[in-house]
Amino acid sequence: MSDGSSFDDTRWPRVLALGRQDEEGYRRAVESLVQDYWRPIYAFFRRRTEPDRAEDLTQAFFAHLLEARPFRGLKTPHGSFRGYLKKALRTFAIDQHRHDSARRRSPRGGLVSLDGLEGRLGGLVAGDDDPPEVEFDRQWVRQVFRLARERMAERYRSQGREVAFEVFRRFVLEPGASHRELAEEYGLSPSQVNNHVSRGKASFERILREVVADSVSSAEAVGSEMDELFRDL
């Protein structure tokens, strides 16, 4: 997904297209997006309420996406999945009767496991100063980085470049080791470490763009979405 030639195959446009036709394909596409982006959705509700209710509302919102098929009314792909979700979440949160029916309407077992969510999200506390929308975006950015890291690790493994990824990870993603320490540990020259770091940075940026591209409606929107997501970093 390094250029716009295959952009119509990315997930957000595909969800919108399937929302107008294939039931099973639509469900699979929505479930795929939900699996990737449940953290910011849960964080949005958690900013408003206690953990148990936030979990119920999260599963109920997923059920709403599957059962009500709100994408059906969108004639053409536009905007980002993130922007759409924020608007949908605000509307959904106002609808108080959803809480009473959340457990009944949720898919059996839920679309995602919410066990131990508080620990996995760093112990969000309802009532903090930041509004739900800000926490939603913060968790979204974290998830984009998480997905990009996982994709990069898998890609490097498939190419037999595990050492290159580990050097990049330990110097850039989880900094702590020096060039010299990494060179000694992996039996590399300083120039090889430098190459792994610089090439890793370029690869990670490309993969970040791929991940962002999955949630926007056009190749042109990738740049603006990245600017908005990472402007405060």
Side-chain angles (χ1 to χ4, degrees), residues 134-223:
V134 172
E135 187 59 36
F136 175 90
D137 283 341
R138 182 181 296 126
Q139 292 295 335
W140 191 278
V141 170
R142 289 176 181 174
Q143 182 63 6
V144 166
F145 271 98
R146 185 179 293 111
L147 292 171
R149 173 177 169 155
E150 291 172 357
R151 191 176 295 186
M152 181 175 177
E154 177 58 31
R155 195 165 296 175
Y156 271 48
R157 276 195 298 270
S158 70
Q159 298 168 351
R161 300 172 62 200
E162 292 90 342
V163 169
F165 176 77
E166 284 302 302
V167 169
F168 170 74
R169 178 184 67 81
R170 294 177 58 190
F171 191 79
V172 177
L173 299 181
E174 300 173 19
S178 68
H179 274 70
R180 188 173 74 175
E181 289 170 336
L182 291 170
E184 290 177 354
E185 180 173 346
Y186 292 106
L188 303 171
S189 68
S191 63
Q192 286 176 312
V193 172
N194 283 331
N195 286 337
H196 288 329
V197 170
S198 60
R199 291 174 183 172
K201 288 179 179 178
S203 295
F204 192 70
E205 182 177 351
R206 285 195 300 271
I207 293 171
L208 269 179
R209 293 182 67 86
E210 291 178 10
V211 173
V212 170
D214 281 343
S215 66
V216 297
S217 59
S218 68
E220 293 75 19
V222 173

Side-chain angles (χ1 to χ4, degrees), residues 99-111:
H99 170 58
D100 296 330
S101 59
R103 291 189 184 277
R104 175 174 57 81
R105 294 182 68 256
S106 296
R108 186 177 182 181
L111 289 183

